[in-house]
Amino acid sequence: MDRGEIGRNSGTGKPRVAVVGGGIAGLSTAWLLTEHAQVTLFEAGTAAGGHTHTVDVSLEGVTHPVDTGFLVFNRRTYPNLIALFAELGVEAVDSEMSFGVSLAEHDIEWSGTDLASVFAQPRNLVRPAFLRMLSDIMRFNRDTTRLSRDDEMPALSLGDYLALEDYSASFRDWYLLPMAAAIWSCPTQTMLDYPLATFVRFCHNHGLLQIFDRPQWMTVKNGGRSYVRKMVEKLEDLRLDSAVTMVRRDVDGVWVGTRHGLEHFDRIVLACHSDQALRILSDGATAAEHKLLSAVRYQNNTAVLHTDPSLLPTRRKVWSAWNYMAGVGAPDTRPVAVSYLINRLQPLPFDVPVVVSLNPFREPAAEHLIKRIHYAHPVFDETAIKAQEHLPRLQGLNHTWFAGAWTGFGFHEDGLRSALAVVESMGVKVPWREAQPRVARVEQAA
């Protein structure tokens, strides 16, 4: 059969399932299936975790773990991640999500921590464009919340909506696009093409469109690798440094090729980036799979871990957890970067600022450089979002399932949610979900 619940392999008593990708989606899929199937998790890198990348940093005579990718979550919008951490016994500590802006072109610096940081530059008190920005923030939050609540959201891009409603350039360039680009790790022009309804839904769910009653953000105690290690402990067959180079499907299952050779499995879960899944399937991808997987583009980003304070706002009062930095140039062409002040996001034992700068347009001083990490983040334009709607129709066909944060908004909760959808479609119950999964149950042919 092409779809259905986990059946039994007549040789081993359990079906063989290959999971490709050791990020949150692949780890969760393998972890949840391990008692029901003979699972092999293939990871191209030398460690599992994907965007959960923790680095040991030694400063001031102390060594402490520092996260560079996945950093924060909250109870309201990460319910499954919270439940998973409870199952694993992973501890969390409070974090903060303050946001600061530093623009060289107009010599603008401000942050939203409190009134003192909003007006860290006293002249902004009498700067009409700045006051208009603050007014437009309130208007945008109020109006888009109402449109969403009343199901009247226009079918427009974010950029078209801003133009139609006559939002100020200061609101667009000094607040909304910097915030959005920081969250999605993508250029501001890309954000202008983002569907308004999807953007507002995400911001509303994450408490970004309200002044009060915002969710309390948290971070994993001792770094995100804490949960990765607990999940890996349960896996019986983790293959690191084993990139999957090809997949060939037949009536009986799936052939998986790595540098070590070919192996046959009953099923496969491609829990990697969609473009990676397409390359792995190669000419064997169906037309529907090709259309879906090719619809999601990726933005390559370089994260630089360092201790150089010159890559933070010049005014210390503006230093925030997330700091949007822009150089000289037009709003859509100027060099931009985001500097995450990890000391604000995680409880670090260092006085020196520990910073992760994403795509810095100026390199930190050599003596401050700790590590450089490369990431790729999905770009959720209208084409990608429309393509996501077709994913459920493909799950389980040709013994193949797809998972990954690219199936949602690109965040940790999305990657985990995609894994839950996969295992539940196979009839496997998720420990923290009380209701049985509502899926069609078809016995797998022996």
Side-chain angles (χ1 to χ4, degrees), residues 13 40 79 89 96 103 112 140 146 167 239-240 302 304 310 332 335 384:
T40 298
E96 71 166 76
L103 309 178
F140 182 85
R146 176 184 55 78
Y167 280 93
R239 312 272 185 91
L240 299 176
T302 299
V304 181
S310 69
D332 296 331

Side-chain angles (χ1 to χ4, degrees), residues 4-5 420-428 436-442:
E5 70 175 10
L420 304 187
V422 166
V423 301
E424 287 184 339
S425 74
M426 295 181 182
V428 173
Q436 289 284 346
R438 294 176 290 178
V439 297
R441 297 175 177 268
V442 182

Side-chain angles (χ1 to χ4, degrees), residues 119-421:
F119 295 105
Q121 290 176 290
R123 65 175 179 167
N124 287 338
L125 281 164
V126 292
R127 195 171 191 170
F130 191 85
L131 299 178
R132 171 70 185 276
M133 176 196 77
L134 297 178
S135 174
D136 278 349
I137 290 174
M138 302 295 290
R139 177 163 70 101
F140 182 85
N141 293 355
R142 180 185 65 248
D143 290 355
T144 55
T145 297
R146 176 184 55 78
L147 290 171
S148 180
R149 182 192 63 231
D150 297 342
D151 197 24
E152 297 177 353
M153 192 67 65
L156 296 172
S157 69
L158 178 60
D160 288 343
Y161 177 76
L162 296 179
L164 179 67
E165 296 298 326
D166 194 30
Y167 280 93
S168 61
S170 56
F171 167 76
R172 171 187 181 272
D173 299 330
W174 299 354
Y175 168 71
L176 190 67
L177 292 186
M179 178 190 71
I183 292 172
W184 273 276
S185 304
C186 66
T188 54
Q189 184 57 49
T190 300
M191 289 312 309
L192 289 173
D193 297 331
Y194 206 97
L196 174 68
T198 305
F199 177 82
V200 170
R201 184 168 68 251
F202 173 87
C203 290
H204 185 268
N205 289 344
H206 286 70
L208 301 176
L209 299 182
Q210 56 202 76
I211 303 300
F212 305 106
D213 192 31
R214 289 190 170 187
Q216 173 62 57
W217 291 86
M218 296 175 288
T219 188
V220 177
K221 184 178 181 180
N222 296 321
R225 70 181 176 197
S226 301
Y227 89 79
V228 174
R229 287 172 172 174
K230 286 178 176 289
M231 298 187 84
V232 166
E233 287 174 359
K234 189 177 178 181
L235 306 183
E236 295 182 354
D237 190 8
L238 169 61
R239 312 272 185 91
L240 299 176
D241 194 21
S242 297
V244 173
T245 55
M246 62 83 67
V247 165
R248 188 172 72 246
R249 297 169 289 188
D250 58 29
V251 67
D252 296 318
V254 182
W255 287 97
V256 176
T258 68
R259 63 187 177 90
H260 303 291
L262 285 172
E263 289 184 75
H264 195 266
F265 294 85
D266 298 298
R267 297 182 171 194
I268 189 168
V269 181
L270 292 168
C272 47
H273 291 175
S274 54
D275 59 343
Q276 295 170 334
L278 186 57
R279 285 197 301 271
I280 291 170
L281 291 173
S282 186
D283 294 338
T286 66
E289 288 171 337
H290 189 279
K291 184 176 182 180
L292 168 67
L293 299 174
S294 63
V296 183
R297 298 181 296 113
Y298 286 81
Q299 170 75 26
N300 291 320
N301 295 304
T302 299
V304 181
L305 177 62
H306 63 90
T307 59
D308 190 344
S310 69
L311 272 72
L312 291 168
T314 57
R315 296 163 177 82
R316 195 180 183 97
K317 189 180 293 185
V318 177
W319 285 11
S320 304
W322 296 31
N323 301 274
Y324 181 85
M325 314 289 293
V328 176
D332 296 331
T333 61
R334 63 192 175 195
V336 299
V338 180
S339 285
Y340 305 95
L341 181 54
I342 308 299
N343 310 64
R344 293 283 184 91
L345 291 160
Q346 296 182 298
L348 301 185
F350 310 126
D351 292 326
V352 64
V354 178
V355 183
V356 173
S357 291
L358 199 65
N359 304 323
F361 47 86
R362 181 177 57 76
E363 286 294 305
E367 64 270 22
H368 291 289
L369 178 64
I370 299 174
K371 190 170 184 179
R372 193 182 308 274
I373 308 106
H374 299 285
Y375 295 108
H377 296 94
V379 176
F380 295 102
D381 54 18
E382 186 174 4
T383 300
I385 291 168
K386 285 185 176 179
Q388 289 174 342
E389 300 173 1
H390 300 287
L391 176 60
R393 304 173 195 171
L394 301 182
Q395 298 287 45
L397 293 177
N398 298 319
H399 322 289
T400 305
W401 280 257
F402 300 95
W406 63 269
T407 66
F409 288 111
F411 297 95
H412 241 55
E413 179 75 7
D414 301 300
L416 175 55
R417 188 184 298 114
S418 74
L420 304 187

